[in-house]
Structures are given as C-alpha cells and as structure tokens.
Amino acid sequence: HCPMNTSAVEKILCDLSEREPSLLSKEASDLAIPVYSTLDGSDLSKMSEDAMEAGDLLGVPQHTYFVRRLLEMQALDRMDLLKMIGSVHDVTHVLEFGPTGNSVIGATARMVGSQIEG
C-alpha cells in the first residue's frame, strides 16, 4: 500500500492485457458477492457509472477502470480497516489476505465483532 508500487500496477495491467485480456473488461456489476473498498467500505459491485466516467476523464479507459481500481487498492492505497468495517452490515465471513499471524486475524475478528454487536 505505497505509491512506490505505481509501476507495478502498470506492469500488472500490461501483463493482463497480453495474457488474459478478458479480465480487463470486468465490471463492478460482474461481482457475484459483495466486495468492499479498502478505503471506505463501499460495496464495489455498486460502483457507479459516474466513477467510471471520471476515470475516463483522467485518461483511464472506462473498460479497464474497475480492474485498475482493484489493483490500486491493493498496491497503492492505504487501507482503513475501521472505516471499511464500520460501513459493512450483516457480515458473516471476512477473508483477510494480510500478513499471517494471530495478532492480525484476532484484531480483525474483534473489530468485526464489535461492529456486529453494536
């Protein structure tokens, strides 16, 4: 989650365009389960057309905007776990792809539990 990874995002997009070009055209509406933004907890399956068009204005082709944003959230953007969990309701499972260890998993479980309990 660091701006130094900017070139990695571009390399991944280039690699996808060569090896799996169909993945680049995935859209938010293609998500079968809720996937939440690591920035603010918004449901990415509901990413608006306005956001896609804004990306287009920034020189990001609209058909690749969603995949680019997923990559940027993973590689560049800071994650705000408290904000993310605070906006999610009816949580039954959390998939965490962070560093391994009970301290990280336990902290996430406690945060989710406190949001569910009230």
Side-chain angles (χ1 to χ4, degrees), residues 23-75:
L23 288 178
L24 286 177
S25 62
K26 295 293 181 186
E27 297 181 11
S29 59
D30 293 331
L31 293 172
I33 61 171
V35 175
Y36 298 99
S37 166
T38 57
L39 295 172
D40 60 11
S42 60
D43 184 349
L44 295 177
S45 68
K46 296 179 172 67
M47 186 180 281
S48 71
E49 288 296 320
D50 292 341
M52 304 281 197
E53 289 171 10
D56 202 29
L57 293 174
L58 296 171
V60 177
Q62 190 169 346
H63 72 282
T64 66
Y65 182 74
F66 177 66
V67 173
R68 175 181 289 275
R69 281 302 302 136
L70 288 176
L71 290 171
E72 289 172 346
M73 276 187 266
Q74 292 301 304

Side-chain angles (χ1 to χ4, degrees), residues 103-116:
S103 61
V104 174
I105 295 168
T108 301
R110 284 190 299 279
M111 284 187 267
V112 170
S114 68
Q115 292 299 321
I116 292 171

Side-chain angles (χ1 to χ4, degrees), residues 80-93:
D80 188 335
L81 190 58
L82 291 174
K83 189 182 276 188
M84 185 185 86
I85 290 173
S87 66
V88 177
H89 306 284
D90 300 325
V91 174
T92 59
H93 295 77

